[in-house]
Structures are given as structure tokens and as C-alpha cells.
Amino acid sequence: MGSTLIGYYFRKRFNRTEKTFPEIRVGELAQLPIRTIDFSDPEDAARHEKMVGLVGRMLGLHEKLAEAKIERERTVIGHQISATDRQIDNLVYELYGLTDEEIRMIE
């Protein structure tokens, strides 16, 4: 779903049980609490740039995974995808100002 936080929120808010990417209706999408980036705030702008970089890395890794022929290579790329996914989740938690307790509940 893009981040563990948004997936958690979506499942709780709309009483959905899918663990994979669910079908999202337009009305539901409009109700998601999407945080606006304040580009005049240097910290917010830096977080945005970091997120853009992580998403770009994730896209590249998925391309490499699709092209990988050797199982060992697929395993290594899979670990890199997992690590990048964790970095994205951590940045999202930071963007939304979640506490350690809230993060534990979501994960």
C-alpha cells in the first residue's frame, strides 16, 4: 500500500482485512490523512527529497528483481527491497510524528 502506516490506517478506518493491496474506492482515498509537505520548511523539504530518493531506489530494485535470473541474486535484491521498505516506513512515521508506542502498535 505504500507504507505500513497507511495500510494499517486503511484497514482500521474502512474495516478491511486484506493483507495485500486492497481495491481502494475514490471516496476512501479522499478520506486518507495525506500529510502535506511544507516546502518552505527545510526539514520538510529534506524529508520529501529523501522520500523521492527511496521511492526511486525501490522502483529500481523491483526492476532488478524482475530481471534477476539467479536465486541468490533474487534473495539479495529481496533483502535490499525489505531494507528500503523499512526506511520508507521509518520516514513516514517521522513525517506523521508517531511515538515508539504507536509504531509498535502499527507493526
Side-chain angles (χ1 to χ4, degrees):
M1 176 156 270
S3 79
T4 302
L5 173 61
I6 296 300
Y8 175 84
Y9 178 87
F10 183 85
R11 284 188 300 278
K12 292 295 182 185
R13 173 70 174 84
F14 300 108
N15 198 26
R16 296 301 234 347
T17 58
E18 301 100 331
K19 290 293 181 185
T20 59
F21 190 79
E23 180 180 318
I24 300 175
R25 296 174 189 95
V26 173
E28 294 169 337
L29 183 61
Q31 294 178 51
L32 291 176
I34 306 300
R35 186 182 175 292
T36 303
I37 302 297
D38 178 1
F39 288 100
S40 66
D41 176 357
E43 287 183 13
D44 241 16
R47 285 188 203 106
H48 175 267
E49 289 304 312
K50 185 174 181 181
M51 182 64 76
V52 168
L54 289 169
V55 169
R57 175 175 167 75
M58 184 67 83
L59 292 172
L61 287 168
H62 278 281
E63 285 178 14
K64 288 171 85 173
L65 183 63
E67 296 169 359
K69 305 287 188 234
I70 301 167
E71 187 59 36
R72 174 73 179 132
E73 184 181 10
R74 294 181 60 76
T75 300
V76 169
I77 295 168
H79 289 304
Q80 292 171 336
I81 288 172
S82 294
T84 304
D85 198 37
R86 281 190 303 274
Q87 288 178 295
I88 290 171
D89 279 341
N90 288 335
L91 185 55
V92 170
Y93 298 150
E94 182 182 324
L95 282 167
Y96 282 85
L98 270 61
T99 65
D100 288 342
E101 182 179 332
E102 290 167 327
I103 293 168
R104 279 191 300 276
M105 182 177 68
I106 290 165
E107 293 184 344

